[in-house]
Amino acid sequence: MKRKIHPADGGDAVPSLDDAVVYLDLETTGAAAGVDRITEIGWVEHRGGREIDRGAQLVNPQQPIPPIIQTLTGIDDAMVATAPPFAEVAPALRARLAGKLLVAHNVRFDHGFLRQEFARLGVDLQVAVLCTVRLSRRLYPHERRHNLDSVISRHGLRVDGPRHRALADAVVLADFVAAARAELGDAVVVEAARKLVTVPPAARPADGLGLDALPDTPGVYLFLGARGEALYVGKSVNLRSRVFAHFAPGTKVAKDLRLAQQVADVRWFETVGELGALLLEAKLVRQHAPIMNRLLRDGDDLATWFWDATAGVAPQLQSAAQLDVAAVDHLYGLFPTRTQALRALRGLADAHGLCLKRTGLEPAGRGPCFAHQLHRCRGACVGAEPAVAHDLRLAQALHGLRLATWPFRGRVGLVERDPLRDRTAIHVVDRWCWLGTVERAEDLDAPDGPLARDDAMPAFDVDTWKLLSRWLKHHRHEIEVIDLPRAPADAPV
Ligand SMILES: [Zn+2]
Protein backbone atom coordinates (compact mmCIF):
# COMPACT_ATOMS: atom_id res chain seq x y z
CA MET A 1 0.00 0.00 0.00
CA LYS A 2 1.53 3.26 -1.13
CA ARG A 3 0.29 6.54 0.14
CA LYS A 4 1.23 9.93 -1.13
CA ILE A 5 2.96 12.55 0.91
CA HIS A 6 2.31 16.18 0.42
CA PRO A 7 4.25 17.41 -2.64
CA ALA A 8 5.16 20.61 -0.83
CA ASP A 9 7.25 18.62 1.58
CA GLY A 10 9.21 16.92 -1.16
CA GLY A 11 8.32 14.20 -3.62
CA ASP A 12 5.17 12.22 -4.04
CA ALA A 13 6.60 8.73 -3.49
CA VAL A 14 6.92 7.10 -0.10
CA PRO A 15 10.65 7.08 0.69
CA SER A 16 12.44 3.79 1.35
CA LEU A 17 15.45 2.85 3.43
CA ASP A 18 17.59 3.39 0.33
CA ASP A 19 16.44 6.99 -0.06
CA ALA A 20 17.09 9.84 2.33
CA VAL A 21 16.60 8.60 5.89
CA VAL A 22 16.80 10.38 9.24
CA TYR A 23 17.32 8.08 12.22
CA LEU A 24 16.09 10.18 15.09
CA ASP A 25 15.76 10.07 18.84
CA LEU A 26 14.27 12.61 21.22
CA GLU A 27 14.71 13.22 24.90
CA THR A 28 11.78 14.93 26.59
CA THR A 29 10.55 16.16 29.97
CA GLY A 30 8.02 13.30 30.11
CA ALA A 31 5.73 11.06 28.12
CA ALA A 32 2.77 13.31 27.26
CA ALA A 33 3.23 15.13 23.97
CA GLY A 34 0.49 17.62 24.80
CA VAL A 35 2.17 18.77 28.00
CA ASP A 36 5.80 17.69 27.98
CA ARG A 37 8.49 19.23 25.81
CA ILE A 38 11.59 18.14 23.91
CA THR A 39 14.97 18.57 25.61
CA GLU A 40 17.29 17.00 23.03
CA ILE A 41 17.20 15.89 19.41
CA GLY A 42 19.73 13.40 18.07
CA TRP A 43 19.96 12.34 14.44
CA VAL A 44 21.90 10.26 11.96
CA GLU A 45 21.18 11.03 8.34
CA HIS A 46 21.65 8.44 5.58
CA ARG A 47 21.43 8.63 1.82
CA GLY A 48 21.59 5.53 -0.34
CA GLY A 49 22.35 3.49 2.76
CA ARG A 50 25.40 5.61 3.76
CA GLU A 51 25.76 8.09 6.58
CA ILE A 52 26.07 11.69 5.47
CA ASP A 53 25.55 13.54 8.75
CA ARG A 54 25.02 13.08 12.46
CA GLY A 55 24.49 15.43 15.36
CA ALA A 56 22.62 16.38 18.50
CA GLN A 57 20.92 19.53 19.64
CA LEU A 58 19.90 20.40 23.18
CA VAL A 59 16.57 22.23 23.37
CA ASN A 60 15.35 24.49 26.15
CA PRO A 61 11.98 22.93 27.12
CA GLN A 62 10.91 26.17 28.88
CA GLN A 63 9.70 24.10 31.80
CA PRO A 64 11.51 22.20 34.57
CA ILE A 65 12.73 18.67 33.91
CA PRO A 66 11.38 16.24 36.55
CA PRO A 67 14.20 14.80 38.71
CA ILE A 68 13.47 11.23 37.63
CA ILE A 69 13.86 12.22 33.97
CA GLN A 70 17.07 14.09 34.79
CA THR A 71 18.45 10.90 36.32
CA LEU A 72 17.38 8.79 33.35
CA THR A 73 18.71 11.00 30.56
CA GLY A 74 21.48 12.87 32.34
CA ILE A 75 19.98 16.08 30.97
CA ASP A 76 19.29 18.57 33.75
CA ASP A 77 17.84 22.06 33.92
CA ALA A 78 21.26 23.73 33.89
CA MET A 79 22.27 22.00 30.64
CA VAL A 80 19.25 23.26 28.73
CA ALA A 81 19.10 26.71 30.33
CA THR A 82 21.24 28.26 27.60
CA ALA A 83 20.00 26.01 24.76
CA PRO A 84 17.67 27.50 22.14
CA PRO A 85 13.93 26.84 22.49
CA PHE A 86 12.25 24.59 19.93
CA ALA A 87 11.01 27.58 17.93
CA GLU A 88 14.62 28.47 17.11
CA VAL A 89 15.70 25.00 16.00
CA ALA A 90 12.46 24.27 14.16
CA PRO A 91 13.31 25.72 10.72
CA ALA A 92 16.54 23.71 10.40
CA LEU A 93 14.85 20.57 11.71
CA ARG A 94 11.96 20.96 9.31
CA ALA A 95 14.39 21.26 6.39
CA ARG A 96 16.29 18.21 7.64
CA LEU A 97 13.11 16.09 7.69
CA ALA A 98 11.44 17.36 4.51
CA GLY A 99 10.84 14.54 2.05
CA LYS A 100 12.88 12.08 4.14
CA LEU A 101 11.94 8.91 5.93
CA LEU A 102 11.84 9.48 9.69
CA VAL A 103 13.00 6.36 11.54
CA ALA A 104 12.69 6.00 15.30
CA HIS A 105 12.22 3.35 17.96
CA ASN A 106 8.50 3.55 18.76
CA VAL A 107 8.13 6.31 16.19
CA ARG A 108 4.64 7.22 17.37
CA PHE A 109 6.26 8.79 20.41
CA ASP A 110 8.90 10.83 18.60
CA HIS A 111 6.61 11.76 15.74
CA GLY A 112 3.86 12.74 18.18
CA PHE A 113 6.23 15.04 20.05
CA LEU A 114 7.60 16.62 16.90
CA ARG A 115 4.13 17.19 15.56
CA GLN A 116 2.99 18.86 18.79
CA GLU A 117 6.08 21.08 18.91
CA PHE A 118 5.60 22.14 15.29
CA ALA A 119 1.89 22.61 15.86
CA ARG A 120 2.63 25.10 18.63
CA LEU A 121 4.35 27.14 15.93
CA GLY A 122 1.43 26.77 13.55
CA VAL A 123 3.32 24.28 11.34
CA ASP A 124 1.87 20.93 10.31
CA LEU A 125 4.73 18.44 10.08
CA GLN A 126 4.18 15.99 7.24
CA VAL A 127 6.72 13.20 7.08
CA ALA A 128 6.78 9.47 6.30
CA VAL A 129 7.69 7.37 9.33
CA LEU A 130 9.12 3.94 10.05
CA CYS A 131 9.14 2.30 13.46
CA THR A 132 12.18 0.14 14.29
CA VAL A 133 10.22 -1.74 16.97
CA ARG A 134 7.89 -2.96 14.25
CA LEU A 135 10.79 -3.53 11.86
CA SER A 136 12.61 -5.65 14.43
CA ARG A 137 9.43 -7.61 15.10
CA ARG A 138 8.91 -8.17 11.38
CA LEU A 139 12.50 -9.26 10.74
CA TYR A 140 12.93 -11.34 13.91
CA PRO A 141 9.44 -12.69 14.63
CA HIS A 142 10.72 -15.48 16.88
CA GLU A 143 12.22 -12.95 19.33
CA ARG A 144 9.98 -11.81 22.13
CA ARG A 145 11.64 -8.57 23.14
CA HIS A 146 12.21 -5.63 20.85
CA ASN A 147 13.02 -2.79 23.20
CA LEU A 148 16.22 -0.93 22.49
CA ASP A 149 18.30 -2.73 25.12
CA SER A 150 17.25 -6.11 23.68
CA VAL A 151 18.07 -4.98 20.15
CA ILE A 152 21.48 -3.73 21.29
CA SER A 153 22.44 -6.97 23.01
CA ARG A 154 20.95 -9.24 20.34
CA HIS A 155 22.98 -7.62 17.55
CA GLY A 156 26.04 -6.85 19.65
CA LEU A 157 25.77 -3.13 18.91
CA ARG A 158 28.26 -0.67 20.37
CA VAL A 159 26.85 2.29 22.23
CA ASP A 160 28.96 5.42 21.97
CA GLY A 161 28.23 7.67 24.87
CA PRO A 162 25.55 7.35 27.51
CA ARG A 163 22.37 5.43 26.68
CA HIS A 164 19.22 7.57 26.78
CA ARG A 165 21.04 10.44 25.19
CA ALA A 166 19.57 11.34 21.85
CA LEU A 167 22.57 10.90 19.56
CA ALA A 168 23.73 7.61 21.10
CA ASP A 169 20.24 6.14 20.66
CA ALA A 170 19.88 7.45 17.10
CA VAL A 171 23.23 5.84 16.18
CA VAL A 172 22.02 2.54 17.63
CA LEU A 173 19.00 2.62 15.27
CA ALA A 174 21.16 3.16 12.20
CA ASP A 175 23.50 0.40 13.38
CA PHE A 176 20.60 -1.96 13.95
CA VAL A 177 19.37 -1.50 10.38
CA ALA A 178 22.92 -1.99 9.07
CA ALA A 179 23.32 -5.16 11.15
CA ALA A 180 20.01 -6.54 9.86
CA ARG A 181 20.98 -5.77 6.26
CA ALA A 182 24.28 -7.59 6.75
CA GLU A 183 22.57 -10.56 8.33
CA LEU A 184 19.41 -10.94 6.23
CA GLY A 185 20.38 -9.16 3.01
CA ASP A 186 19.51 -5.69 1.73
CA ALA A 187 16.48 -6.80 -0.25
CA VAL A 188 14.77 -8.49 2.70
CA VAL A 189 15.24 -5.53 5.05
CA VAL A 190 14.32 -2.85 2.50
CA GLU A 191 11.18 -4.76 1.48
CA ALA A 192 10.15 -5.36 5.10
CA ALA A 193 10.65 -1.67 5.84
CA ARG A 194 8.67 -0.65 2.77
CA LYS A 195 5.63 -2.50 4.08
CA LEU A 196 5.87 -0.70 7.42
CA VAL A 197 6.35 2.88 6.24
CA THR A 198 3.31 5.04 6.88
CA VAL A 199 2.47 8.64 6.25
CA PRO A 200 0.35 9.86 9.14
CA PRO A 201 -2.76 11.64 7.84
CA ALA A 202 -2.43 15.30 7.05
CA ALA A 203 -3.66 17.72 9.61
CA ARG A 204 -6.42 19.94 8.46
CA PRO A 205 -4.62 22.99 7.06
CA ALA A 206 -5.46 25.86 9.34
CA ASP A 207 -5.05 28.26 6.39
CA GLY A 208 -7.96 30.51 5.77
CA LEU A 209 -9.16 30.38 9.35
CA GLY A 210 -7.20 33.49 10.29
CA LEU A 211 -5.42 31.71 13.11
CA ASP A 212 -2.25 33.73 12.69
CA ALA A 213 -3.92 36.44 14.74
CA LEU A 214 -4.41 34.12 17.71
CA PRO A 215 -2.84 35.62 20.86
CA ASP A 216 -0.69 33.86 23.45
CA THR A 217 -3.18 34.77 26.16
CA PRO A 218 -5.81 33.00 28.22
CA GLY A 219 -9.20 32.83 26.59
CA VAL A 220 -12.02 30.83 25.09
CA TYR A 221 -12.38 29.62 21.52
CA LEU A 222 -15.38 28.49 19.54
CA PHE A 223 -15.26 26.20 16.51
CA LEU A 224 -18.08 26.66 14.02
CA GLY A 225 -19.11 24.31 11.23
CA ALA A 226 -19.95 25.13 7.62
CA ARG A 227 -23.54 26.04 8.49
CA GLY A 228 -22.46 28.20 11.39
CA GLU A 229 -23.36 25.54 13.92
CA ALA A 230 -21.30 25.38 17.11
CA LEU A 231 -19.00 22.35 17.11
CA TYR A 232 -16.87 22.89 20.17
CA VAL A 233 -16.07 25.40 22.88
CA GLY A 234 -12.74 25.15 24.68
CA LYS A 235 -10.61 27.29 26.94
CA SER A 236 -6.90 27.61 27.52
CA VAL A 237 -4.33 29.71 29.31
CA ASN A 238 -2.69 29.96 25.88
CA LEU A 239 -5.21 30.32 23.06
CA ARG A 240 -2.65 30.12 20.28
CA SER A 241 -0.96 26.87 21.20
CA ARG A 242 -4.23 25.20 22.23
CA VAL A 243 -6.12 26.00 19.06
CA PHE A 244 -3.22 25.03 16.79
CA ALA A 245 -2.91 21.76 18.69
CA HIS A 246 -6.44 20.84 17.51
CA PHE A 247 -5.17 20.95 13.94
CA ALA A 248 -2.16 18.73 14.60
CA PRO A 249 -3.23 15.11 14.90
CA GLY A 250 -0.87 13.41 17.27
CA THR A 251 -1.43 9.86 18.34
CA LYS A 252 -3.89 10.68 21.08
CA VAL A 253 -6.02 13.24 19.38
CA ALA A 254 -7.73 11.36 16.57
CA LYS A 255 -10.95 12.92 17.81
CA ASP A 256 -9.38 16.33 17.34
CA LEU A 257 -8.57 15.45 13.76
CA ARG A 258 -12.19 14.60 12.96
CA LEU A 259 -13.27 17.78 14.68
CA ALA A 260 -10.71 19.92 12.87
CA GLN A 261 -11.88 18.63 9.48
CA GLN A 262 -15.30 20.14 10.10
CA VAL A 263 -14.20 23.55 11.32
CA ALA A 264 -15.21 26.33 8.96
CA ASP A 265 -14.71 29.25 11.30
CA VAL A 266 -12.95 29.95 14.58
CA ARG A 267 -13.92 32.68 17.03
CA TRP A 268 -12.00 33.52 20.14
CA PHE A 269 -12.30 35.74 23.16
CA GLU A 270 -9.31 36.86 25.19
CA THR A 271 -9.63 36.87 28.93
CA VAL A 272 -7.42 38.33 31.64
CA GLY A 273 -6.93 35.02 33.40
CA GLU A 274 -8.03 31.47 33.88
CA LEU A 275 -11.12 32.21 35.95
CA GLY A 276 -12.51 34.50 33.26
CA ALA A 277 -11.89 31.79 30.68
CA LEU A 278 -13.66 29.16 32.79
CA LEU A 279 -16.71 31.36 33.36
CA LEU A 280 -16.99 32.31 29.70
CA GLU A 281 -16.48 28.73 28.57
CA ALA A 282 -19.33 27.50 30.77
CA LYS A 283 -21.58 30.26 29.50
CA LEU A 284 -20.83 29.59 25.82
CA VAL A 285 -21.32 25.86 26.29
CA ARG A 286 -24.70 26.54 27.85
CA GLN A 287 -25.66 29.04 25.15
CA HIS A 288 -24.54 27.09 22.10
CA ALA A 289 -24.65 23.46 23.31
CA PRO A 290 -21.86 22.51 20.87
CA ILE A 291 -21.99 18.96 19.55
CA MET A 292 -18.55 17.92 20.83
CA ASN A 293 -19.04 19.35 24.31
CA ARG A 294 -22.30 17.45 24.61
CA LEU A 295 -20.51 14.23 23.67
CA LEU A 296 -17.80 14.89 26.23
CA ARG A 297 -20.11 15.81 29.10
CA ASP A 298 -20.20 13.48 32.04
CA GLY A 299 -23.94 13.26 32.44
CA ASP A 300 -26.14 16.19 31.63
CA ASP A 301 -28.81 15.93 34.22
CA LEU A 302 -27.38 15.53 37.69
CA ALA A 303 -29.74 14.82 40.56
CA THR A 304 -29.46 16.52 43.93
CA TRP A 305 -31.37 16.49 47.22
CA PHE A 306 -33.08 19.72 48.22
CA TRP A 307 -33.85 19.94 51.91
CA ASP A 308 -34.70 22.99 53.96
CA ALA A 309 -34.09 21.92 57.55
CA THR A 310 -36.49 24.54 58.90
CA ALA A 311 -39.46 23.70 56.68
CA GLY A 312 -40.38 20.39 58.26
CA VAL A 313 -40.72 18.76 54.86
CA ALA A 314 -38.90 15.65 53.64
CA PRO A 315 -35.92 16.01 51.27
CA GLN A 316 -36.94 16.38 47.63
CA LEU A 317 -35.10 14.90 44.70
CA GLN A 318 -34.43 17.57 42.08
CA SER A 319 -32.69 17.93 38.78
CA ALA A 320 -29.63 20.12 39.16
CA ALA A 321 -30.38 21.58 35.75
CA GLN A 322 -33.54 23.32 36.95
CA LEU A 323 -32.68 24.80 40.29
CA ASP A 324 -33.67 28.14 41.61
CA VAL A 325 -30.84 30.25 42.97
CA ALA A 326 -32.63 30.42 46.32
CA ALA A 327 -32.22 26.65 46.61
CA VAL A 328 -28.45 26.83 46.54
CA ASP A 329 -27.97 26.81 50.30
CA HIS A 330 -30.11 23.70 50.73
CA LEU A 331 -28.55 21.23 48.31
CA TYR A 332 -27.02 17.89 49.21
CA GLY A 333 -24.93 15.84 46.81
CA LEU A 334 -24.74 15.68 43.02
CA PHE A 335 -25.59 12.28 41.60
CA PRO A 336 -25.34 11.04 37.99
CA THR A 337 -28.73 9.31 38.29
CA ARG A 338 -31.85 9.53 40.45
CA THR A 339 -31.30 5.91 41.46
CA GLN A 340 -27.90 6.75 42.91
CA ALA A 341 -29.35 9.72 44.76
CA LEU A 342 -32.04 7.50 46.27
CA ARG A 343 -29.50 4.85 47.19
CA ALA A 344 -27.33 7.43 48.96
CA LEU A 345 -30.21 8.75 51.08
CA ARG A 346 -31.39 5.24 51.86
CA GLY A 347 -27.86 4.36 52.99
CA LEU A 348 -27.80 7.35 55.31
CA ALA A 349 -31.23 6.46 56.71
CA ASP A 350 -29.98 2.94 57.41
CA ALA A 351 -26.76 4.06 59.03
CA HIS A 352 -28.37 6.75 61.19
CA GLY A 353 -31.60 4.97 62.14
CA LEU A 354 -33.72 7.56 60.35
CA CYS A 355 -37.38 7.23 59.53
CA LEU A 356 -38.23 6.21 55.97
CA LYS A 357 -41.47 8.21 56.06
CA ARG A 358 -39.95 11.34 57.53
CA THR A 359 -37.13 11.22 54.93
CA GLY A 360 -39.65 10.73 52.12
CA LEU A 361 -38.26 7.33 51.12
CA GLU A 362 -41.65 5.78 51.90
CA PRO A 363 -45.01 7.41 51.20
CA ALA A 364 -46.36 9.30 54.19
CA GLY A 365 -49.41 7.88 55.96
CA ARG A 366 -50.48 6.30 59.19
CA GLY A 367 -48.52 3.53 60.81
CA PRO A 368 -44.86 2.73 61.31
CA CYS A 369 -42.38 2.80 58.43
CA PHE A 370 -40.75 -0.41 57.27
CA ALA A 371 -37.49 0.47 59.07
CA HIS A 372 -39.37 0.92 62.35
CA GLN A 373 -40.80 -2.59 62.02
CA LEU A 374 -37.20 -3.79 61.79
CA HIS A 375 -36.31 -1.67 64.86
CA ARG A 376 -34.00 0.54 62.80
CA CYS A 377 -36.08 3.74 62.66
CA ARG A 378 -36.29 5.30 66.09
CA GLY A 379 -39.98 5.97 65.57
CA ALA A 380 -40.56 9.45 64.20
CA CYS A 381 -43.36 7.81 62.18
CA VAL A 382 -45.26 6.68 65.29
CA GLY A 383 -44.47 9.63 67.53
CA ALA A 384 -41.81 7.77 69.49
CA GLU A 385 -39.18 10.32 68.46
CA PRO A 386 -39.95 14.05 68.23
CA ALA A 387 -39.83 15.33 64.66
CA VAL A 388 -37.34 18.05 65.64
CA ALA A 389 -34.94 15.50 67.12
CA HIS A 390 -35.26 13.33 64.03
CA ASP A 391 -34.59 16.25 61.69
CA LEU A 392 -31.56 17.26 63.70
CA ARG A 393 -30.14 13.80 63.14
CA LEU A 394 -31.11 14.02 59.47
CA ALA A 395 -29.16 17.28 59.23
CA GLN A 396 -26.12 15.59 60.76
CA ALA A 397 -26.47 12.65 58.37
CA LEU A 398 -26.71 14.93 55.34
CA HIS A 399 -23.94 17.24 56.45
CA GLY A 400 -21.19 15.47 54.51
CA LEU A 401 -23.15 15.79 51.26
CA ARG A 402 -23.81 19.49 51.57
CA LEU A 403 -22.72 21.41 48.50
CA ALA A 404 -20.37 24.28 49.18
CA THR A 405 -22.38 27.23 50.40
CA TRP A 406 -21.76 30.70 49.12
CA PRO A 407 -18.70 31.76 51.12
CA PHE A 408 -19.29 35.51 50.95
CA ARG A 409 -21.84 37.77 52.58
CA GLY A 410 -23.46 38.86 49.35
CA ARG A 411 -22.60 39.92 45.85
CA VAL A 412 -18.86 40.16 45.22
CA GLY A 413 -16.35 41.12 42.57
CA LEU A 414 -13.60 38.57 42.07
CA VAL A 415 -10.66 40.59 40.81
CA GLU A 416 -8.30 38.81 38.47
CA ARG A 417 -5.13 40.59 37.39
CA ASP A 418 -2.45 40.07 34.78
CA PRO A 419 0.37 42.42 35.81
CA LEU A 420 2.46 41.59 32.73
CA ARG A 421 -0.26 42.78 30.37
CA ASP A 422 -1.45 45.36 32.88
CA ARG A 423 -5.01 44.10 32.67
CA THR A 424 -7.72 43.57 35.24
CA ALA A 425 -11.03 41.72 35.20
CA ILE A 426 -13.71 42.10 37.83
CA HIS A 427 -16.04 39.09 37.72
CA VAL A 428 -19.32 39.93 39.42
CA VAL A 429 -20.69 36.83 41.12
CA ASP A 430 -23.61 36.27 43.45
CA ARG A 431 -24.52 32.93 45.02
CA TRP A 432 -22.60 31.00 42.34
CA CYS A 433 -24.22 32.95 39.51
CA TRP A 434 -21.95 34.91 37.22
CA LEU A 435 -23.52 38.28 36.41
CA GLY A 436 -20.81 39.64 34.14
CA THR A 437 -17.26 40.92 33.94
CA VAL A 438 -15.88 44.42 33.57
CA GLU A 439 -12.34 45.68 33.22
CA ARG A 440 -12.69 48.82 35.35
CA ALA A 441 -14.53 49.43 38.60
CA GLU A 442 -16.34 52.47 37.13
CA ASP A 443 -17.97 50.20 34.53
CA LEU A 444 -19.75 48.23 37.25
CA ASP A 445 -22.52 50.84 37.41
CA ALA A 446 -22.78 51.44 33.68
CA PRO A 447 -26.33 51.20 32.29
CA ASP A 448 -25.60 47.76 30.86
CA GLY A 449 -23.13 46.83 33.60
CA PRO A 450 -23.45 43.79 35.83
CA LEU A 451 -24.73 45.79 38.80
CA ALA A 452 -27.39 47.65 36.84
CA ARG A 453 -29.53 44.66 36.01
CA ASP A 454 -32.75 44.81 37.94
CA ASP A 455 -34.21 41.70 36.41
CA ALA A 456 -34.20 38.47 38.37
CA MET A 457 -31.00 36.59 39.09
CA PRO A 458 -30.01 34.18 36.34
CA ALA A 459 -30.91 30.55 36.94
CA PHE A 460 -28.59 28.45 39.05
CA ASP A 461 -26.11 26.76 36.76
CA VAL A 462 -24.53 23.61 38.06
CA ASP A 463 -21.47 23.94 35.81
CA THR A 464 -20.74 27.45 37.01
CA TRP A 465 -21.24 26.27 40.58
CA LYS A 466 -18.80 23.42 40.05
CA LEU A 467 -16.09 25.52 38.42
CA LEU A 468 -16.41 28.40 40.89
CA SER A 469 -16.40 26.27 44.02
CA ARG A 470 -13.45 24.24 42.74
CA TRP A 471 -11.57 27.32 41.60
CA LEU A 472 -12.10 29.21 44.86
CA LYS A 473 -10.91 26.19 46.83
CA HIS A 474 -7.52 26.27 45.13
CA HIS A 475 -7.04 29.88 44.03
CA ARG A 476 -8.91 31.99 46.59
CA HIS A 477 -5.61 33.50 47.80
CA GLU A 478 -4.61 34.60 44.31
CA ILE A 479 -7.41 37.08 43.84
CA GLU A 480 -8.85 40.10 45.56
CA VAL A 481 -12.51 40.00 46.58
CA ILE A 482 -14.54 43.19 46.79
CA ASP A 483 -18.01 43.43 48.31
CA LEU A 484 -20.65 44.81 45.98
CA PRO A 485 -24.22 45.95 46.62
CA ARG A 486 -27.12 43.81 45.46
CA ALA A 487 -29.70 45.32 43.14
CA PRO A 488 -32.86 46.21 45.15
CA ALA A 489 -35.02 43.76 43.22
CA ASP A 490 -33.22 40.67 44.41
CA ALA A 491 -31.92 41.85 47.76
CA PRO A 492 -32.60 39.23 50.40
CA VAL A 493 -35.88 39.79 52.20
ZN1 LIG B 1 -40.14 5.38 60.77
Side-chain angles (χ1 to χ4, degrees), residues 196-213:
L196 295 174
V197 170
T198 60
V199 183
R204 155 72 197 275
D207 319 337
L209 293 174
L211 300 189
D212 280 342

Side-chain angles (χ1 to χ4, degrees), residues 206-215 223 240 243-244 247 266-268:
D207 319 337
L209 293 174
L211 300 189
D212 280 342
L214 271 164
F223 287 159
R240 188 178 177 82
V243 170
F244 273 114
F247 292 88
V266 181
R267 308 272 169 82
W268 61 84

Side-chain angles (χ1 to χ4, degrees), residues 107-127:
V107 75
R108 283 164 57 106
F109 176 87
D110 300 86
H111 180 259
F113 260 90
L114 288 175
R115 212 157 192 188
Q116 278 287 342
E117 291 279 15
F118 277 110
R120 288 188 182 101
L121 305 170
V123 173
D124 176 34
L125 176 71
Q126 269 289 290
V127 63

Side-chain angles (χ1 to χ4, degrees), residues 33-239:
V35 183
D36 290 307
R37 306 292 301 265
I38 294 173
T39 56
E40 191 181 36
I41 306 163
W43 66 88
V44 176
E45 213 175 318
H46 277 215
R47 191 165 300 228
R50 289 180 198 290
E51 178 175 327
I52 55 168
D53 186 36
R54 69 165 65 186
Q57 171 72 57
L58 283 170
V59 179
N60 186 338
Q62 298 174 293
Q63 59 175 256
I65 305 172
I68 185 162
I69 304 282
Q70 296 194 17
T71 310
L72 182 70
T73 62
I75 300 172
D76 59 32
D77 290 333
M79 289 167 67
V80 294
T82 53
F86 188 83
E88 275 176 40
V89 306
L93 181 61
R94 194 182 184 201
R96 183 180 299 285
L97 295 173
K100 315 267 175 67
L101 176 60
L102 169 63
V103 183
H105 212 61
N106 189 11
V107 75
R108 283 164 57 106
F109 176 87
D110 300 86
H111 180 259
F113 260 90
L114 288 175
R115 212 157 192 188
Q116 278 287 342
E117 291 279 15
F118 277 110
R120 288 188 182 101
L121 305 170
V123 173
D124 176 34
L125 176 71
Q126 269 289 290
V127 63
V129 300
L130 170 66
C131 178
T132 44
V133 176
R134 299 182 67 199
L135 182 62
S136 175
R137 209 177 276 143
R138 178 71 64 101
L139 295 173
Y140 302 96
H142 50 283
E143 299 288 349
R144 281 184 55 233
R145 306 182 74 85
H146 299 275
N147 61 55
L148 208 49
D149 286 320
S150 304
V151 168
I152 289 168
S153 69
R154 183 148 65 237
H155 298 280
L157 305 178
R158 259 190 58 207
V159 182
D160 290 325
R163 268 279 279 119
H164 298 298
R165 282 298 296 272
L167 178 55
D169 285 6
V171 170
V172 163
L173 299 184
D175 289 351
F176 158 63
V177 171
R181 290 172 84 131
E183 201 178 307
L184 305 171
D186 288 330
V188 170
V189 176
V190 171
E191 177 57 17
R194 194 184 65 76
K195 289 184 178 145
L196 295 174
V197 170
T198 60
V199 183
R204 155 72 197 275
D207 319 337
L209 293 174
L211 300 189
D212 280 342
L214 271 164
D216 287 307
T217 63
V220 177
Y221 55 94
L222 173 60
F223 287 159
L224 299 169
R227 286 167 286 116
E229 75 278 23
L231 298 172
Y232 183 68
V233 167
K235 68 115 183 59
S236 176
V237 291
N238 187 323
L239 275 174

